[in-house]
């Protein structure tokens, strides 16, 4: 006979206490090897993996379609154009003239193209070194400042970072203007001679120097703010332990900060290399690759060949070679990043 305490009947599907005790013995323990009541059903439910079906593919489908339409098709079309002779005559007659590898042969045998390649890599290296150097210093400064000054500096960095390229190029054109530029006025005020109506865009070197100044000014905020975010993850006890050992600020950065944030420096440098290598609007907006095409980099060279010289086949071949050169150059950096991930 089952006695219900306080008149509460056992719930549906539950064994009464006496029945459980009878099944397992006087102390209610189950015999060795006997499955727990209801355990089989729970194990069966736990072993079932939810069927994902088509949902993951449906979620990534818009991104895949967008890449194919806006990136894949232009790349394929550009590759096809690089094997064609497409100039003014072909544009007017709408004739398709296949030239094979003639466009590539013409470019690879042109000394002017290789000068542009060398100029592009030197320009990229100088910019990336300056961006990472100044960005690291500003990031460390943000971490050392008080709350109010950090907020002011962060707002200034964000405003510089958010400035549109064309607007910033216009400002730099005004700063270095021949007649009314602030830079010429400042040089004369400091007592330097020869800066009456000095043309800062007279040579390709000075033009690229101004472009470098503009790119560094616009890119430092990205590095500085991200580095500051990374510095906030480093515990203060590490700095205290290093100072107790008598480490200088440079030693703390080299032995504490850099090893911890090494992945950040690798990825950020990688992004800046790509960003500077494909810099186009800054050069075109300042001096259109001049004077005499002396400040052209590979993206600007391809644009001028196509839009100014109306030689679209050669321009397409130049853009394909630009992509291949960048991939080859970045393959070494990819290997470095993968090696770093393996070590971690």
């Amino acid at each position: 006979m089952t006695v219900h305490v306080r008149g509460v009947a056992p719930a549906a599907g539950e064994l009464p206490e006496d029945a459980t005790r009878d099944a397992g013995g006087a102390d209610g323990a189950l015999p060795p090897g006997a499955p727990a009541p209801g355990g089989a059903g729970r194990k069966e439910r736990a072993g079932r993996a939810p069927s994902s079906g088509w949902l993951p593919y449906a979620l990534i489908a818009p991104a895949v379609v967008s890449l194919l339409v806006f990136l894949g098709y232009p790349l394929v079309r550009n590759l096809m154009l690089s094997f064609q002779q497409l100039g003014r005559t072909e544009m007017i007659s709408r004739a398709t003239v296949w030239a094979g590898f003639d466009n590539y042969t013409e470019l690879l045998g042109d000394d002017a193209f290789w000068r542009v390649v060398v100029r592009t890599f030197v320009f990229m290296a100088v910019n990336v070194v300056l961006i990472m150097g100044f960005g690291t210093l500003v990031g460390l400064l943000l971490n050392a400042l008080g709350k109010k000054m950090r907020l002011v500096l962060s707002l200034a960095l964000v405003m510089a970072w958010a400035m549109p390229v064309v607007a910033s190029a216009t400002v730099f054109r005004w700063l270095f203007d021949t007649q009314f530029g602030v830079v010429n006025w400042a040089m004369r005020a400091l007592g330097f001679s020869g800066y009456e109506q000095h043309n800062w865009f007279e040579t390709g070197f000075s033009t690229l120097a101004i472009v470098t100044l503009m790119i560094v000014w616009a890119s430092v905020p990205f590095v500085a703010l991200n580095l500051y975010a990374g510095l906030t993850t480093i515990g203060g006890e590490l700095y205290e332990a290093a100072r107790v050992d008598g480490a200088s600020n440079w030693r703390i950065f080299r032995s504490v900060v850099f090893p911890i944030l090494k992945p950040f420096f690798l990825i950020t440098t990688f992004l800046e290399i790509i960003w500077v290598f494909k810099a186009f609007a800054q050069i075109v907006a300042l001096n259109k690759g001049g004077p005499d095409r002396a400040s052209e980099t590979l993206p600007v060279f391809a644009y001028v060949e196509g839009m100014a010289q109306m030689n679209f086949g050669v321009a397409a071949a130049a853009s394909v070679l630009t992509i291949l050169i960048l991939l080859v150059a970045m393959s070494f950096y990819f290997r470095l990043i993968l090696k770093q991930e393996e070590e971690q």
Side-chain angles (χ1 to χ4, degrees), residues 116-129:
V116 173
V117 172
V118 174
R119 184 187 303 135
T120 302
F121 276 93
V122 173
F123 174 75
M124 177 190 67
V126 172
N127 275 270
V128 172
V129 170

Side-chain angles (χ1 to χ4, degrees), residues 1-4 10-32 34-38 42:
M1 180 180 67
T2 303
V3 179
H4 303 300
E14 292 184 357
L15 292 175
E17 183 179 356
D18 291 346
T20 304
R21 187 179 293 113
D22 293 341
D27 57 353
L30 295 175
R42 286 195 297 270

Side-chain angles (χ1 to χ4, degrees), residues 134-211:
F134 283 109
T136 300
L137 293 176
V138 176
L140 294 173
L141 178 61
L142 280 173
N143 192 48
L145 289 175
K147 185 176 180 180
K148 293 182 179 179
M149 291 303 300
R150 184 186 302 123
L151 178 61
V152 173
L153 181 56
S154 298
L155 291 175
L157 291 172
V158 169
M159 287 189 289
W161 189 18
M163 179 74 70
V165 175
V166 176
S168 60
T170 303
V171 171
F172 273 80
R173 287 287 303 184
W174 289 344
L175 290 174
F176 292 91
D177 184 72
T178 302
Q179 294 183 349
F180 307 106
V182 176
V183 177
N184 280 341
W185 171 83
M187 297 298 290
R188 292 194 303 269
L190 292 174
F192 293 96
S193 60
Y195 288 93
E196 293 79 9
Q197 297 188 356
H198 176 74
N199 184 9
W200 290 92
F201 301 97
E202 186 177 5
T203 64
F205 178 82
S206 60
T207 300
L208 288 178
I210 298 173
V211 175

Side-chain angles (χ1 to χ4, degrees), residues 245-257:
D245 292 337
S248 61
N249 291 333
W250 165 246
R251 182 69 178 181
I252 292 175
F253 175 80
R254 185 165 62 91
S255 301
V256 177
V257 175

Side-chain angles (χ1 to χ4, degrees), residues 88 280 300-312 315:
R88 292 183 177 86
F280 170 80
V300 181
F301 175 84
Y303 170 79
V304 173
E305 283 292 327
M307 301 305 296
Q309 305 296 326
M310 297 296 290
N311 199 350
F312 295 100

